[in-house]
Amino acid sequence: MSWAIICVACRRVAPKKTSDTDAIFAQLTDLRAAVANDATVLRLSLDAKATVLIGDYSRRGKTRLEVKAADHDFHPTDKVTPYGILLPDHNRLYLYFTCSRVTSDFIVDCLTDCWQQLRQEFPQVTTLVLHQDNGPENHSRRTQFVQRMVNFVDAFQLIVHLAYYPPYHSKYNPIERVWGILEQHWNGTLLDALSTVLNFAQSMTWHQVHPIVTCVQTSYQTGVRLSQEIMSQLEKRLERHQHLAKYFVWIRPLSTT
């Protein structure tokens, strides 16, 4: 093989750019600067990690113990998906694990649980900024996700600002840095049981602090969608950015008085 071929094979491929990519990043930068010293605003970074197969499978890492591992994953004992909520300005991390699917309902259930733990500590917060990728279960036109977010806003009387990263650029979302740390932490260990996965998650640290780890037992139904008629009513509750309507959305609570 020639050196030219090797160099081409090893060259890192740049993320794809859309016509809005630069404008989205500029808006994200402006948003972060605008809320940097605002105690009434709390930024959260949310996303799921790739599903982890549970079983005696080699993960190509290193461990001090001598272990025997399978090199194929024909019959995993189970599968679990980690989902993270990171407070990037406070270095706080909440990890949720599900053997079900990461659906709109799962995402908002995790957010609800996380906020219920945080609300006493941040009583001055009136706005949550949610940094996410524009995935199929949480994008701003996903009917079930929008409905659950509107219900969340009304239940807690919070303003929620959905602030998405551009397509193909989710690696810039702060929560993505957590997954590399988790992979390094369990390294070559055999994740042969759900309890093993949870124990490793609990023992890892993010900026020298252990995460809060929760195993979600609920089974979630996929494919839940609302009618366009219902969505048109929900849309009235949303304030979309004039030029980046898919990526920046504000939801304000209905007054309880």
Side-chain angles (χ1 to χ4, degrees):
M1 181 180 293
S2 69
W3 281 107
I5 295 175
I6 293 174
C7 291
V8 170
C10 296
R11 186 173 56 196
R12 182 174 297 176
V13 178
K16 297 179 182 178
K17 288 183 66 173
T18 68
S19 58
D20 292 330
T21 298
D22 291 340
I24 294 168
F25 274 116
Q27 183 69 19
L28 287 168
T29 300
D30 291 346
L31 172 61
R32 180 173 181 177
V35 305
N37 298 311
D38 190 343
T40 68
V41 179
L42 186 64
R43 293 194 310 128
L44 307 179
S45 173
L46 307 84
D47 202 6
K49 184 187 182 301
T51 298
V52 176
L53 298 179
I54 296 176
D56 296 330
Y57 305 124
S58 171
R59 300 178 194 281
R60 300 181 181 180
K62 295 181 179 180
T63 178
R64 295 179 180 179
L65 301 177
E66 183 177 351
V67 296
K68 294 182 179 181
D71 59 359
H72 291 80
D73 53 3
F74 295 127
H75 301 289
T77 304
D78 209 340
K79 299 178 181 180
V80 64
T81 304
Y83 187 81
I85 301 179
L86 174 68
L87 281 63
D89 299 321
H90 300 272
N91 289 324
R92 298 274 294 280
L93 177 61
Y94 293 78
L95 294 178
Y96 295 86
F97 289 80
T98 178
C99 293
S100 184
R101 298 294 188 90
V102 176
T103 66
S104 301
D105 292 309
F106 169 80
I107 291 169
V108 181
D109 283 352
C110 292
L111 175 63
T112 300
D113 179 81
C114 183
W115 176 243
Q116 286 175 333
Q117 296 182 62
L118 291 170
R119 61 190 302 194
Q120 298 300 322
E121 184 177 348
F122 297 94
Q124 73 278 19
V125 168
T126 59
T127 300
L128 298 181
V129 175
L130 306 185
H131 291 300
Q132 305 173 87
D133 63 9
N134 223 302
E137 296 294 340
N138 66 309
H139 64 73
S140 68
R141 300 193 190 278
R142 176 75 177 196
T143 56
Q144 182 66 6
F145 179 71
V146 171
Q147 182 182 59
R148 288 296 310 273
M149 287 308 308
V150 167
N151 293 341
F152 174 88
V153 162
D154 288 343
F156 293 107
Q157 290 293 291
L158 289 167
I159 299 170
V160 166
H161 186 178
L162 303 176
Y164 295 96
Y165 281 83
Y168 315 110
H169 292 77
S170 60
K171 68 178 183 180
Y172 294 102
N173 194 355
I175 186 63
E176 295 295 334
R177 303 167 195 163
V178 170
W179 305 134
I181 300 298
L182 182 57
E183 285 286 352
Q184 290 177 6
H185 183 59
W186 62 40
N187 205 354
T189 303
L190 296 185
L191 303 180
D192 54 358
L194 177 59
S195 59
T196 306
V197 174
L198 297 177
N199 288 338
F200 269 99
Q202 290 169 338
S203 62
M204 72 167 281
T205 58
W206 177 259
H207 289 266
Q208 301 181 334
V209 178
H210 294 291
I212 304 298
V213 176
T214 303
C215 184
V216 179
Q217 302 291 343
T218 306
S219 180
Y220 289 92
Q221 180 181 352
T222 61
V224 178
R225 289 179 173 83
L226 308 179
S227 68
Q228 288 303 312
E229 180 180 358
I230 295 176
M231 185 59 185
S232 65
Q233 294 299 315
L234 290 171
E235 190 69 31
K236 297 176 182 178
R237 296 288 307 276
L238 311 182
E239 300 174 28
R240 295 184 180 273
H241 189 280
Q242 183 178 0
H243 304 295
L244 301 168
K246 289 171 54 179
Y247 302 100
F248 298 94
V249 182
W250 291 260
I251 311 174
R252 303 182 189 277
L254 293 174
S255 175
T256 57
T257 59

